[in-house]
Amino acid sequence: MLILRRKKNESLLIGDNIRITIIECAGDGVRLAIDAPKQISILREELSEAEQSNKTALTPNINSVMLLQSILKKKSESSDSQA
């Protein structure tokens, strides 16, 4: 990890095409301006973590899927034997 100290209106470069400029420094945070190509995704970390949590929540647990299949199979077999 690289740690830098920058002042208001100072910038740092990442590669040849990303520039991050300090716009404002205040007691409650720092405002940044990020100039990057449109194809590069820029996302706040907490939103990225929330997105990952949502994806994980939507992915079914394989054990739950197998249990549900087993229950449905037994139910189907039970219905077939009663008919």
Side-chain angles (χ1 to χ4, degrees):
M1 174 184 293
L2 174 64
I3 299 173
L4 299 172
R5 181 180 306 262
R6 302 273 69 202
K7 295 178 182 174
K8 184 177 176 180
N9 296 322
E10 292 183 336
S11 299
L12 59 106
L13 300 174
I14 300 174
D16 293 331
N17 55 3
I18 300 173
R19 177 187 303 270
I20 300 174
T21 304
I22 308 303
I23 299 297
E24 181 181 334
C25 298
D28 62 340
V30 175
R31 290 184 63 208
L32 303 172
I34 303 170
D35 184 22
K38 290 185 180 190
Q39 65 269 19
I40 294 179
S41 175
I42 301 171
L43 192 60
R44 293 190 328 249
E45 184 176 15
E46 64 272 17
L47 294 180
S48 178
E49 290 171 355
E51 180 182 44
Q52 187 59 41
S53 293
N54 288 337
K55 285 180 182 178
T56 301
L58 291 173
T59 304
N61 179 305
I62 188 67
N63 293 330
S64 298
V65 172
M66 292 174 65
L67 178 61
L68 180 59
Q69 286 177 332
S70 173
I71 292 169
L72 292 174
K73 184 177 179 183
K74 287 178 183 177
K75 190 171 186 175
S76 175
E77 290 171 354
S78 172
S79 296
D80 291 343
S81 67
Q82 291 178 0

